[in-house]
């Protein structure tokens, strides 16, 4: 799969960069996790710092447009992102923080 970055927009308030990308693939649409890993490697980031928000493939096409949030740290991603997005991207919630909140 070939990934091309279409746009990058800095969001300093949330310590992240919003990335729009396009990828061309040979077979079916790749899984969210494989796209996340490839995009993270391309941007020299850890996979836990990248959250794939949306993948849009038109029927019958081998081209997908996606949107991702690339955070400064994995901790920032866990603090800002909603739980269902963390689950979809297989990013483990920070349990130490949850224990502190319960106490």
């Amino acid at each position: 799969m070939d990934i091309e970055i279409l746009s990058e927009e800095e969001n300093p308030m949330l310590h992240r960069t919003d990335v729009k990308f396009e990828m061309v693939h040979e077979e079916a649409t790749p899984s969210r996790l494989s796209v996340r890993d490839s995009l993270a490697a391309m941007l020299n980031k850890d996979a836990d710092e990248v959250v794939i928000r949306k993948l849009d493939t038109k029927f019958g096409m081998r081209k997908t447009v996606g949107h991702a949030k690339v955070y400064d740290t994995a901790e920032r991603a866990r603090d800002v992102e909603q739980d269902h997005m963390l689950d979809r991207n297989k990013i483990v919630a920070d349990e130490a923080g949850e224990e502190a909140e319960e106490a």
Side-chain angles (χ1 to χ4, degrees), residues 18-35:
D18 299 336
V19 177
K20 182 178 180 182
F21 61 93
E22 180 180 85
M23 63 182 176
V24 178
H25 40 87
E26 294 301 317
E27 299 297 321
T29 305
S31 71
R32 181 180 298 266
L33 296 179
S34 66
V35 172

Side-chain angles (χ1 to χ4, degrees), residues 6-60:
L6 300 177
S7 67
E8 291 184 68
E9 186 177 325
E10 293 292 324
N11 191 336
M13 293 290 285
L14 295 175
H15 303 279
R16 73 179 183 207
T17 303
D18 299 336
V19 177
K20 182 178 180 182
F21 61 93
E22 180 180 85
M23 63 182 176
V24 178
H25 40 87
E26 294 301 317
E27 299 297 321
T29 305
S31 71
R32 181 180 298 266
L33 296 179
S34 66
V35 172
R36 181 188 71 159
D37 292 344
S38 297
L39 187 61
M42 183 177 173
L43 297 172
N44 294 323
K45 297 296 263 176
D46 187 40
D48 285 349
E49 297 171 357
V50 178
V51 177
I52 303 296
R53 298 288 296 182
K54 182 178 179 182
L55 293 174
D56 185 28
T57 305
K58 301 294 183 215
F59 182 76

Side-chain angles (χ1 to χ4, degrees), residues 57-69:
T57 305
K58 301 294 183 215
F59 182 76
M61 301 292 288
R62 299 285 184 220
K63 188 183 291 186
T64 300
V65 175
H67 299 272
K69 310 290 186 188

Side-chain angles (χ1 to χ4, degrees), residues 63-81:
K63 188 183 291 186
T64 300
V65 175
H67 299 272
K69 310 290 186 188
V70 182
Y71 289 88
D72 293 344
T73 64
E75 184 177 317
R76 286 280 181 201
R78 288 190 295 269
D79 288 345
V80 174
E81 285 296 326

